[in-house]
Amino acid sequence: MNDLARAWDEAAEGYEAYFVPRFAPWVRTAADALAPLPDGPILVPCCGTLPELDALTEHFPGREITGIDLSAGMVRLAQARAAGNPLVTAVEGDAATLDPRWTGRCAAVVSVFGLQQLPEPDVALAAWAAALRPGGRLSVVYWPGAIETEGPFAVMREALRPRVTPSDRSWEDRLVPALSEVELERDEFVTHPMTHPDAETVFEAYTRSGPLRPLVTARGEQFAQELREEFLRLAPAGEWTHRPGARLLVARR
Ligand SMILES: C[S@@+](CC[C@H](N)C(=O)[O-])C[C@H]1O[C@@H](n2cnc3c(N)ncnc32)[C@H](O)[C@@H]1O
């Protein structure tokens, strides 16, 4: 857990600069799906730098908002984003198991691109649903196994295939059952275009400031170099636009 947190600490500033603007349409989709809400606080598990904040304060002014993230570096940037708003807090912690004080208390739980990183995503999803109060809503966006058939994510999967044992994605089939205590309102794929200046830039961002930082840190420079060569061999030249699809789950208690 510490290695994971450290890797995200090191990635935090680059993540904010490169991925936050590119992921913004999905963050907006997740926040837009929440209304209307009962009174009560909003919880943001795996908040990263808390890019959800603008959309949440726009839709739900005057709410208490709490972001939780494993990485101190991410939490620092989230706190900087929330500066001046005394209702917003960002805390360091494991979002997979929520403090019991949240149980049945939240108007909303919203999480973007964190779920697929957790060791048991279906168990975490059930815990997040248990935090909702009656009428409260859960909105979760995550990257599924079937994210795209072409584009940097697909090319990276191809480049990783001979080097890394594929992760077990059977938990994706257990997400809807994990929501049995709440009413599932939406389960759909949301695609938006994303553009990268070129393959080299997206590789650097992905491995230094994004989701592959923990892996590359653990496996070392030689691994990173070989992965880079293979990725660039498979990638197209020049500006690269793709349309990855994220899964959106919205449920109401
Ligand atoms: C891809 S970022 C997403 C951040 C933000 N929600 C966004 O949309 O940009 C994933 C975040 O999940 C955090 N994370 C990973 N495992 C976690 C855990 N067990 N508990 C809390 N946060 C975790 C990482 O530290 C990272 O900040």
Side-chain angles (χ1 to χ4, degrees):
M1 208 52 116
N2 280 347
D3 287 349
L4 183 65
R6 198 168 319 116
W8 277 110
D9 287 346
E10 291 160 2
E13 283 189 17
Y15 180 86
E16 171 68 18
Y18 194 85
F19 287 106
V20 165
R22 288 174 171 81
F23 289 173
W26 286 278
V27 168
R28 179 57 65 172
T29 300
D32 288 352
L34 289 171
L37 289 182
D39 288 342
I42 298 176
L43 198 61
V44 190
C46 306
C47 65
T49 65
L50 199 53
E52 297 85 355
L53 187 60
D54 282 355
L56 291 177
T57 48
E58 199 179 289
H59 285 313
F60 311 107
R63 295 276 176 159
E64 186 193 315
I65 298 172
T66 301
I68 303 175
D69 201 280
L70 203 57
S71 150
M74 287 288 193
V75 167
R76 256 195 306 280
L77 293 182
Q79 286 165 342
R81 178 174 262 121
N85 186 338
L87 293 172
V88 183
T89 321
V91 294
E92 215 179 305
D94 183 1
T97 48
L98 295 181
D99 188 301
R101 79 189 164 94
W102 293 111
T103 306
R105 217 190 124 219
C106 296
V109 176
V110 57
S111 187
V112 182
F113 299 143
L115 188 75
Q116 76 282 340
Q117 306 200 352
L118 302 180
E120 294 180 293
D122 50 320
V123 177
L125 192 68
W128 296 353
L132 297 176
R133 69 193 319 161
R137 211 171 250 116
L138 174 75
S139 176
V140 173
V141 169
Y142 77 90
W143 292 124
I147 185 170
E148 63 182 9
T149 52
E150 47 191 313
F153 299 147
V155 168
M156 186 61 88
R157 184 180 314 138
E158 202 52 39
L160 283 170
R161 200 187 304 279
R163 296 174 170 81
V164 175
T165 314
S167 61
D168 174 14
R169 301 291 303 203
S170 63
W171 56 266
E172 289 198 60
D173 297 331
R174 296 193 294 273
L175 293 180
V176 170
L179 295 174
S180 61
E181 300 293 313
V182 289
E183 183 196 337
L184 183 63
E185 294 183 315
R186 294 170 68 180
D187 179 1
E188 57 202 62
F189 286 90
V190 179
T191 61
H192 294 290
M194 204 190 298
T195 297
H196 307 276
D198 53 43
E200 211 149 310
T201 306
V202 65
F203 180 86
E204 284 303 308
Y206 210 152
T207 54
R208 305 285 163 200
S209 315
L212 283 189
R213 173 112 202 181
L215 175 71
V216 163
T217 305
R219 299 281 292 265
E221 267 313 310
Q222 174 73 19
F223 171 84
Q225 192 49 38
E226 286 170 18
L227 187 64
R228 183 174 185 277
E229 276 166 25
E230 181 65 357
F231 182 86
L232 296 181
R233 191 182 69 76
L234 297 168
E239 190 177 88
W240 200 358
T241 296
H242 61 132
R243 296 185 62 87
R247 188 177 180 193
L248 167 73
L249 291 165
V250 180
R252 184 168 178 271
R253 179 170 294 280

